[in-house]
Every structure is written in structure tokens, then in C-alpha cells.
Amino acid sequence: MRVRFAPSPTGALHIGGARTALYNWLLARGSGGTLVLRIEDTDRERSTPENVAQILDALEWLGLGWDEGPLSQAERGERHREEVARLVGEGHAYEDEGAVRLRVPDEGATVVRDVIRGEVRFEHSAIDDFVIARSDGSPLYNLAVAVDDRDMAISHVVRGEDHLSNTPRQLMVLKALGAEPPLYAHLPLLHGPDGKKLSKRHGAASVQELREAGYLPEAVRNYLALLGWGADATTTFFTTEDLIERFSLERVSRNPAVFDEQKLRWMNGRYLRELGSGELARRLEDVYGARPGLAVAAAIAQEKMQTLADFWPLAGFLVERRETDECAWRKVMRDGARENLTEARHALAGAEPFDEPTVEAALREVVERRGAKPKDVFQPVRVAISGSTVSPGIFESVVGLGREETLARVDDALSRLD
RNA sequence: GGGGGCGUGGUCCAGCGGUUAGGACGCCGGCCUUUCAAGCCGGAGAUCACGGGUUCGAUCCCCGUCGCCCCUACCA
């Protein structure tokens, strides 16, 4: 199997493009075939080197490596012109106001054999002679794609459904060229939550944004694979090896899908909790830099995170001291909070060794002695050390912070209460 | 306007002539509980777009209608 991913560098890599890349990659890996990366940059107005770099970067981050390329379609201009000239010479195409058009027969039809959609028939009467080269001689999409797919011996063209209507045109170019057509598979499009075509307005739409939002590439891969495909009625989680083994074009669905970030969040959380704590710390370092205390904080926060970006708001206080949320302070530091916190301070000062079982026992003893509810003691401690009413478990947090730092923060809170 | 694709709970995926229409996200409730999550348990939610056929029987097959999307560029 020789497949290709052929993005146009007119913007960032969108999740739709990422899914197309993923499916092609899975096909190549699963068949022992080859994935060609071809940059379709013949639109010189809108294609930029920055976009190319961004696309390569996104693919790399997703872990979708290619075997050949990246090839620039624009750099193959000579080859394309050569074929245009040949088509004109052989009478398949003709000049019209400087541009070159392919002759489309008036009668008959062209049938696209699509792995996902079956045979799709296009009557020639509905297709005009279309332009294959501009008046300056530069080749156009339908010509360049056909020539390149042929030259690169592509066996399966797997791309978005928006290309289905252009396929008969490419088939006609191929036929005029005397080339055997590849097999086609047109994937359902991805829509936004409003049912319209996906765009930047619908949240994290580009791969870069997904990355910045703290998603894991393996989770994104798993989620994207399921957007338009399913192995069976119940399986949701797939390792990349599973995906490679089980993915098939035959089971790709025909109807458009909507990107649901909530489900991605959920899935990402599941992947995050599967990570070894050392691995999680490494991933967090990529985002926040290497900092003392990060690994400890990572282990403590892991079960409550859904994305890497959740880490800092939730557990940043374990890494560095932060401002107290006044709303949280007012809510918690009242009634018997001062006394409870004072008692807790003594208990923590005396807890030996300073580990979870001991700290928990010490704090629970305070609860008992004060005849209070657990939260009457725990919440003031939480606000004192984290500045917030929300944090990971209080015992892990206290131990993770260490006795010295915990007592320092509690003392500061107590002095403020005086 | 012309051509093409698609149409199962809010969302994703199952189903491929006979099912109580299944699973997941989300939502609601409960348990757990030191906050928030996570986890576990339970629940609500689908005239299978609509209308005709074919058939003993249609979500599944055929036709039509409607809706959404794509193409119809000297964009890709």
C-alpha cells in the first residue's frame, strides 16, 4: 500500500486534516506500506513556509511519521507543465484565453470506485471542460494531484469528502495520461458543534491548540481515530498498536462527525491517569519547565487532572507559593477556624514521621478533640497551604509540601487571623 | 441553478430483514468523602429525518420529499 497525506499549507493543521493524516498513517503502518507526505503548495498566494513548518511540527507531535517527503508540489512544476503540454499535443486539452482546459466528453459518465461509498457516478454532461493550467502556464490542483499520485505510484487516495466531487476530474486527467487510477476512499467531514463546517471559531480546532490545551498525543490519536470509525460496538480505548492492527477503511462511517471536546477531555484524563508518575512529570516539564517539587506535585495531582493544563491551577501551590483567593479565605476562615487551625498546627508540628498515615491520624485527632466536623479542620488547613478551597487530598498535599513549608504557610494564615 | 454525498438519543460509534434498537461522552440521582475531581451504582433521553412502496415482517431494500454538507475558481 502506498498512501499519501497531502495538506495544503494555507493554515495550521486542523483536526480534520490530522484525522486524515492519522488514517493514512494507520493504513501504511498496518500494511507494511509507505506514507508519502506531499505539501500541496501550488497556491502560492496562500501557502507559506511557516504553515509548512507548523504542519510538520503538528504531525511530529502527534507521532505520525512519514516515509517519503515532505515533497513540495510547487517544485514539481516542470513535470506538471510537461504533462500539460503532452495533453495539449495529444488533443486531450486545449488552450482557451491563455489557460489550458481538459476536454470533457459530452456523453457518458465517470464512475468513482470509492472504498467507503461504493460506486459514485458522475455524468459528463454536468462537468465543464475544466482549467488544468493558468494562463501563465502554472498547473492547477486537479492536474497536479493526478500527475503526482501517478508519478508517486499512490495505490490508495484517502482524503476528505470535500474532494469527492473533484475525483471524476482527476480520473479524467489520469485517463488522458494513460494512467491506471488509484483506489479512492473519501472520509466523512468533521463539523463544528453547530453542524457547520469546522472552523477556528469552534474551540480547539487546530493540533497546536490541542497541544497547548494540555492534551496527550496518544489520547488525541485515540479520540481522532473514533471520529469516523469504530472497530465494534463497544471498544473505546485502543493502544496505537491496536489501532494499527484493527483499523480498516471498510469500517469507516459515511456520515459527518462533530468534534466533541468534552469527550476528548474525558479520554485524555483516562490516559493521564495511566501514565507512570515519572512519565507524567516529564510531560509536565515540557509545559512548565523543570522545577523542584514538580514530580511530587505531579504524583499528587494526577488523579484529578484531565489535561496537563489542569495541573497548575490545581496543584501549582505545591511547587510555589501563590496568592490566596480572597473569596476562599472569607468562606473558610470564620467561626472556629482560628482555633482549629491553631490545633492543627500543633498536631502537624508533632507528627512523627511526617508521612501520610501519621499526618492523617494527627489531623483526625484534632477533629475529634475539637468535636468538629472533618471539614472544619481540613478546609482551613487547605486554604492556608493552597490559598484555595479546591486542592488534591489534604494529607498528600501537606506531606508533599513538607513540614517546614506547611507550618510556615499555616503560621502566616494564623497571623493574618489575629 | 446543476452535480454529488450524508440523515440511529444533545454528541461519537454499533446494528447490516425479525433486537426490550446496544456501548461511550455529556446530563440527572446515589454511593464514596476533607474540598474538587476520579471511581462505582442507578436513571432520564431515539416517532431509527419524513412519506410512499417491496415483504408475513423493515432502522436495515427501492422511490420520492425535506434537511445538512461538499463540488461546480486561471483555490486546494
Side-chain angles (χ1 to χ4, degrees):
Chain A
M1 235 175 163
R2 276 180 69 83
V3 294
R4 41 54 145 210
F5 176 55
S8 177
T10 53
L13 183 64
H14 248 249
I15 56 171
R19 189 200 53 179
T20 301
L22 172 66
Y23 283 12
N24 275 290
W25 184 82
L26 291 173
L27 255 12
R29 291 289 80 79
S31 67
T34 303
L35 173 60
V36 179
L37 178 60
R38 187 173 75 216
I39 307 297
E40 310 224 312
D41 50 0
T42 52
D43 181 347
R44 287 149 306 176
E45 303 271 301
R46 298 188 298 156
S47 300
T48 70
E50 292 72 36
N51 286 333
V52 173
Q54 203 174 131
I55 289 169
L56 300 190
D57 187 55
L59 290 173
E60 206 168 301
W61 178 75
L62 276 171
L64 306 180
W66 52 91
D67 306 301
E68 292 178 19
L71 272 44
S72 159
Q73 189 165 62
E75 285 173 15
R76 291 173 43 78
E78 276 315 303
R79 183 77 254 278
H80 300 143
R81 284 165 198 257
E82 204 177 295
E83 292 297 56
V84 169
R86 209 183 106 205
L87 291 175
V88 172
E90 291 174 359
H92 293 297
Y94 61 91
E95 262 191 47
D96 173 38
E97 297 190 52
V100 180
R101 290 180 183 273
L102 191 85
R103 260 184 237 290
V104 176
D106 297 328
E107 311 268 294
T110 292
V111 175
V112 177
R113 292 196 171 70
D114 189 284
V115 180
I116 296 169
R117 286 155 215 282
E119 297 192 347
V120 185
R121 185 185 177 85
F122 295 85
E123 297 293 333
H124 292 334
S125 56
I127 301 177
D128 296 325
D129 288 359
F130 55 97
V131 179
I132 57 176
R134 299 183 179 90
S135 42
D136 67 0
S138 61
L140 251 22
Y141 175 69
N142 284 128
L143 182 280
V145 169
V147 171
D148 287 355
D149 284 339
R150 197 274 300 271
D151 285 1
M152 295 168 195
I154 300 302
S155 66
H156 295 69
V157 172
V158 180
R159 72 220 314 189
E161 201 221 68
D162 49 339
H163 292 285
L164 181 56
S165 298
N166 271 322
T167 306
R169 294 182 175 82
Q170 291 158 31
L171 247 17
M172 285 186 263
V173 172
L174 253 10
K175 190 179 176 192
L177 253 26
E180 273 301 306
L183 249 36
Y184 291 93
H186 287 94
L187 309 174
L189 259 22
L190 261 30
H191 287 182
D194 55 1
K196 292 191 178 158
K197 208 178 137 188
L198 198 60
S199 77
K200 293 257 180 177
R201 305 184 56 179
H202 302 112
S206 77
V207 173
Q208 305 294 354
E209 285 167 327
L210 253 26
R211 179 183 190 169
E212 282 160 22
Y215 293 105
L216 267 22
E218 58 268 47
V220 173
R221 259 181 270 142
N222 192 153
Y223 177 74
L224 248 28
L226 260 22
L227 228 43
W229 172 83
D232 52 51
T234 57
T235 312
T236 303
F237 289 93
F238 296 87
T239 64
T240 299
E241 290 66 38
D242 288 338
L243 246 26
I244 291 171
E245 192 178 322
R246 304 186 66 178
F247 181 79
S248 73
L249 289 175
E250 287 70 28
R251 286 192 64 85
V252 171
S253 79
R254 280 175 292 275
N255 45 313
V258 174
F259 173 65
D260 178 7
E261 190 170 356
Q262 285 200 98
K263 188 165 183 177
L264 207 211
R265 278 190 71 82
W266 164 79
M267 181 168 274
N268 199 69
R270 295 280 300 250
Y271 271 89
L272 219 44
R273 266 165 263 125
E274 294 285 310
L275 254 33
S277 54
E279 179 59 24
L280 177 61
R282 269 191 291 284
R283 308 250 190 157
L284 287 169
E285 277 180 18
D286 291 341
V287 181
Y288 302 102
R291 289 159 164 270
L294 192 65
V296 171
I300 293 172
Q302 184 166 22
E303 60 177 335
K304 294 175 192 291
M305 296 164 54
Q306 284 194 307
T307 68
L308 295 176
D310 288 345
F311 173 77
W312 201 255
L314 179 71
F317 74 94
L318 292 166
V319 178
E320 68 179 29
R321 202 157 176 176
R322 68 185 176 195
E323 278 186 23
T324 297
D325 172 36
E326 290 306 316
C327 194
W329 179 277
R330 282 195 300 277
K331 190 174 167 191
V332 170
M333 296 302 192
R334 48 198 294 198
D335 304 325
R338 190 180 180 289
E339 291 70 28
N340 289 341
L341 195 54
T342 304
E343 291 283 326
R345 199 251 179 243
H346 290 317
L348 290 169
E352 199 64 52
F354 202 72
D355 60 12
E356 253 185 76
T358 312
V359 165
E360 174 163 4
L363 287 176
R364 287 200 187 281
E365 203 200 307
V366 173
V367 171
E368 191 129 344
R369 200 159 19 146
R370 299 275 308 157
K373 287 179 181 172
K375 67 172 182 179
D376 294 333
V377 174
F378 301 159
Q379 282 302 77
V381 174
R382 190 187 310 282
V383 170
I385 66 168
S386 76
S388 162
T389 54
V390 177
S391 85
I394 193 66
F395 314 123
E396 305 98 284
S397 295
V398 163
V399 172
L401 212 48
R403 192 197 316 265
E404 195 183 331
E405 182 61 22
T406 299
L407 292 182
R409 293 188 191 183
V410 169
D411 285 341
D412 280 0
L414 284 171
S415 63
R416 183 176 166 183
L417 280 168
D418 282 331

